[in-house]
Amino acid sequence: MGNTKVITIDGPAGAGKSTVAKALAHRLKFSYLDTGAMYRALTLKALREDVNLESEEDLVALANKTTIDLQGDTTAGLKVFLDEQDVSEEIRTIEVTNNTFYIARAPKVREIMVEMQRAIGTKKNIVVEGRDVGTVVFPDATNKFYLDANFEERAQRRIKELEEKGKDVEAEKLKAELQDRDNKDFTRKAGPLKKADDAVVIDSTPLSIDGVVDEMMKYIKNG
Ligand code: DC
């Protein structure tokens, strides 16, 4: 891993990983790496190009001819570039969200994603968030966290976030989709969501963003 520091945050959808990872990176003056954005960007390209999502071989071929770049800082916001095109907004649609599992469950595609993530992580100090970043991508990370929150709280946070964007939300549908994503995240064979043995577990249910970051800072040396 060289001389760079890597702090990993894994956890289920809606636990607050992105918000917390950005806030922590900001405090530490580290870069921020959103690995989910990379899975989303490749999914978007597969949907655009009508690639057969069931075919691992086709997905590998697609991944091998794709560049995904994350730019920006934690204040200005992170921009996601797919083959040099800014797709930061498009990767957040429900269509992309509900189709990422095809990319996420394909072991050979994950290998390519993991290599891309390591290439970024060995260049600078980073806070990285995802599902397998403490277990598979950076097993020797400087600090590892597993951020959790109860299901109802995670669902309510998602609903609030969407409502704030002026979207109509069907609560029951959203909960069913979140449950489905949880099931897929926890049960896939390659890179499932799992707490690393040496990760510190933080339950964000009763905490504010700053509360979670303060808690993390207690574990980070010279932080
Ligand atoms: O964190 P997110 O919701 O943006 O992630 C999008 C999807 O990508 C999620 O359904 C699971 C997958 N993912 C993954 O398999 N491994 C990661 N390290 C990050 C995300």
Side-chain angles (χ1 to χ4, degrees):
M1 203 157 59
N3 297 320
T4 58
K5 290 184 182 167
V6 176
I7 296 173
T8 60
I9 306 177
D10 287 304
K17 294 186 303 294
S18 296
T19 317
V20 163
K22 271 184 227 165
L24 182 65
H26 187 68
R27 265 207 222 177
L28 292 167
K29 298 194 172 64
F30 281 17
S31 290
Y32 159 63
L33 174 59
D34 175 0
T35 59
M38 299 172 74
Y39 286 89
R40 287 170 178 273
L42 190 60
T43 301
L44 175 65
K45 184 163 174 179
L47 291 171
R48 279 179 177 172
E49 299 197 358
D50 234 352
V51 171
N52 178 5
L53 293 164
E54 304 272 353
S55 162
E56 182 166 22
E57 205 185 324
D58 291 0
L59 293 175
V60 166
L62 183 77
N64 279 330
K65 59 167 187 155
T66 301
T67 54
I68 299 168
D69 198 16
L70 297 137
Q71 286 175 20
D73 58 53
T74 50
T75 320
L78 195 80
K79 293 260 178 241
V80 182
F81 291 88
L82 173 64
D83 299 323
E84 290 171 22
Q85 185 202 5
D86 184 353
V87 293
S88 313
E89 300 284 325
E90 263 184 283
I91 60 166
R92 305 288 163 195
T93 62
I94 298 201
E95 197 198 1
V96 171
T97 302
N98 289 344
N99 282 291
T100 44
F101 75 96
Y102 288 106
I103 304 280
R105 72 179 183 182
K108 290 189 183 122
V109 184
R110 292 196 76 91
E111 275 173 30
I112 299 168
M113 303 301 260
V114 167
E115 281 316 310
M116 284 187 202
Q117 291 155 15
R118 286 188 185 141
I120 297 170
T122 42
K123 277 194 205 111
K124 48 195 176 183
N125 294 332
I126 56 164
V127 176
V128 51
E129 58 134 320
R131 304 294 190 285
D132 62 341
V133 292
T135 50
V136 176
V137 189
F138 297 109
D140 301 325
T142 326
N143 292 90
K144 297 181 187 177
F145 296 98
Y146 185 88
L147 190 63
D148 211 347
N150 73 36
F151 182 82
E152 191 57 32
E153 174 71 16
R154 291 190 283 122
Q156 290 308 327
R157 286 180 189 166
R158 262 297 135 89
I159 291 168
K160 192 162 163 250
E161 195 178 290
L162 291 167
E163 283 176 348
E164 278 170 5
K165 284 187 189 159
K167 303 224 166 85
D168 274 340
V169 189
E170 285 178 57
E172 287 315 308
K173 188 162 173 254
L174 183 138
K175 284 186 191 178
E177 284 171 358
L178 188 61
Q179 187 66 63
D180 184 48
R181 287 179 73 199
D182 273 7
N183 294 343
K184 289 189 164 103
D185 276 339
F186 283 115
T187 60
R188 72 173 157 261
K189 289 202 183 77
L193 171 58
K194 206 167 83 183
K195 183 190 100 61
D197 290 339
D198 49 350
V200 172
V201 179
I202 296 178
D203 181 358
S204 76
T205 312
L207 298 172
S208 64
I209 296 157
D210 281 341
V212 175
V213 176
D214 286 345
E215 190 59 26
M216 288 178 168
M217 290 295 276
K218 290 183 192 164
Y219 295 91
I220 297 167
K221 247 202 263 166
N222 310 321

